[in-house]
Amino acid sequence: MLLGTGGYLPETILTNAQLTETIDTTDEWIVERTGIRERRIAAPHETASSMAEIAAREALEAAGLAPNAVDLIIVGTATPDRIFPSTACLLQQRLDIRHCAAFDVQAACSGFIFALSIADQYIRSGNAKHVLVVGSELNSRLVDWSDRSTCILFGDGAGAAVLGAAREPGIFSTHINSDGQYKDLLYVSNPTNSRGEINESPYIKMQGNEVFKIAVNTLEHIVDETLDANGFVQSDIDWLVPHQANIRIIAATARKLKMPMEQVVVTLERQGNTSAASIPLALNEAIRDGRIRRGQILLMEAFGAGFAWGSALIRY
Ligand code: ACO
């Protein structure tokens, strides 16, 4: 079950109005096409592991657990501090946790759902008792700030959840999937591959419109698959906690579920797309402000580069 959550957002706010000073865009265009009004930008000294540490400590405190009670750490990130060791190992060192496995999952915006799915398998099989699952992203360092079609979308932040074994499973099911044939619609090339000779931009490249259409279609299917797998119907869901890429994608999924937007946790207006951090940040916000209550049924879903997508149906 989900024992506790935590989150961290960097202090600096970058508004749409500020973006209009450097790129050819308007606040109206960004709000209408994406729903985003502002995003957080990490300070130069911050990293995926430093943000993950703050979110993780908050989640552990909410769970009432000491760091050394954790027996598995999984971090979803596409913006690791180092290529290796993993951000999860760096987080483990920061939390002073010894003798447990720690590794990263690279599934772009679906990183948290993929990490949650692995955590669920470890708990179900009895191989882990307390798993720390984190999504932490420094997207501001991956975007080309002169590319108006991508730089308006992303933000930085970290979210964390602590899962624990329980007699009644909190996670009913998780569903993850990938299709690498779409590798060129959304990607970041690895600059180290060119040994210093940069042949290609090291920043996010996205054919937004193509991604948008496939995201909407895919998410419609995965929500059906998730409900069917558990014998649930749409009205059983109390909250949709979606990945926060675009309000139009979120609204399409909510429409498919016949859910009013009041039952959807939306954070992208103030955070933009924080990639693997967006779901745990949304979850944490809605739990802490009292919207999500114990016993309620939550559907989480994400779609991102790969393409890689997934969902989780849980009882909080
Ligand atoms: N301001 C003003 N105009 C803009 C901007 C901007 N910031 N960006 C693009 N435009 C223009 C384009 O140049 C284009 O102009 P043209 O018609 O003269 O050529 C026009 O707006 C329409 O462009 P589209 O790309 O078709 O706009 P669209 O409505 O699709 O919105 C967006 C773009 C917001 C990127 C949308 O496609 C989207 O959200 N895509 C999905 C993103 C996503 O889900 N990504 C997956 C997760 S991210 C991850 O995994 C890391």
Side-chain angles (χ1 to χ4, degrees), residues 14-17 19 26-40 150-155 244-247 266-274:
L14 178 66
T15 63
N16 290 350
L19 282 170
T26 60
D27 176 53
E28 293 72 36
W29 192 95
I30 302 173
V31 173
E32 190 190 313
R33 305 309 295 164
T34 73
I36 299 165
R37 291 179 190 275
E38 58 187 46
R39 64 290 289 144
R40 298 300 182 99
T150 53
C151 76
I152 56 156
L153 300 170
F154 294 95
Q244 313 276 321
N246 187 314
I247 193 68
V266 178
T267 57
L268 95 172
E269 199 179 6
R270 285 160 289 111
Q271 298 174 14
N273 178 350
T274 57

Side-chain angles (χ1 to χ4, degrees), residues 40-290:
R40 298 300 182 99
I41 305 295
H45 68 273
E46 292 185 300
T47 64
S49 74
S50 74
M51 297 195 302
E53 179 187 358
I54 301 169
R57 286 193 187 279
E58 200 176 83
L60 286 164
E61 199 185 325
L65 284 182
N68 61 19
V70 169
D71 50 16
L72 178 62
I73 303 171
I74 314 175
V75 175
T77 187
T79 52
D81 298 24
R82 298 174 171 179
I83 286 181
F84 60 73
S86 67
T87 303
C89 281
L90 303 181
L91 174 62
Q92 183 184 35
Q93 183 268 332
R94 284 173 175 274
L95 295 173
D96 198 22
I97 300 174
R98 313 299 281 283
H99 313 302
C100 85
F103 58 87
D104 288 358
V105 170
Q106 220 289 34
C109 292
S110 300
F112 181 78
I113 295 290
F114 275 57
L116 193 71
S117 180
I118 299 167
D120 183 39
Q121 314 307 319
Y122 268 85
I123 289 175
R124 278 176 194 272
S125 65
N127 285 312
K129 239 170 124 180
H130 297 120
V131 186
L132 174 60
V133 182
V134 182
S136 186
E137 300 282 17
L138 258 162
N139 290 320
S140 61
R141 294 184 198 156
L142 267 195
V143 301
D144 174 354
W145 287 103
S146 66
D147 176 6
R148 69 176 184 172
S149 68
T150 53
C151 76
I152 56 156
L153 300 170
F154 294 95
D156 299 334
V162 176
L163 301 176
R167 203 168 306 146
E168 293 282 311
I171 299 181
F172 294 110
S173 68
T174 59
H175 305 260
I176 58 173
N177 218 319
S178 311
D179 191 341
Q181 73 167 310
Y182 296 108
K183 65 185 174 57
D184 296 327
L185 291 185
L186 174 54
Y187 69 96
V188 179
S189 66
N190 181 352
T192 57
N193 280 342
S194 63
R195 291 188 163 269
E197 297 158 33
I198 310 267
N199 303 317
E200 210 181 346
S201 159
Y203 303 121
I204 295 175
K205 290 265 173 224
M206 177 167 74
Q207 292 179 38
N209 205 283
E210 290 304 305
V211 178
F212 185 96
K213 284 184 270 187
I214 301 169
V216 169
N217 247 317
T218 308
L219 290 170
E220 286 189 355
H221 285 113
I222 201 166
V223 296
D224 278 346
E225 182 190 336
T226 311
L227 294 177
D228 289 351
N230 295 283
F232 275 54
V233 292
Q234 291 150 348
S235 56
D236 292 327
I237 310 299
D238 293 300
W239 292 99
L240 176 65
V241 187
H243 169 51
Q244 313 276 321
N246 187 314
I247 193 68
R248 293 181 291 135
I249 297 178
I250 295 174
T253 310
R255 263 197 308 276
K256 166 79 183 170
L257 286 166
K258 299 190 175 66
M259 285 180 90
M261 287 304 279
E262 290 72 37
Q263 280 174 263
V264 183
V265 183
V266 178
T267 57
L268 95 172
E269 199 179 6
R270 285 160 289 111
Q271 298 174 14
N273 178 350
T274 57
S275 202
S278 79
I279 291 179
L281 273 169
L283 186 63
N284 183 52
E285 185 174 303
I287 287 174
R288 284 177 188 267
D289 68 19

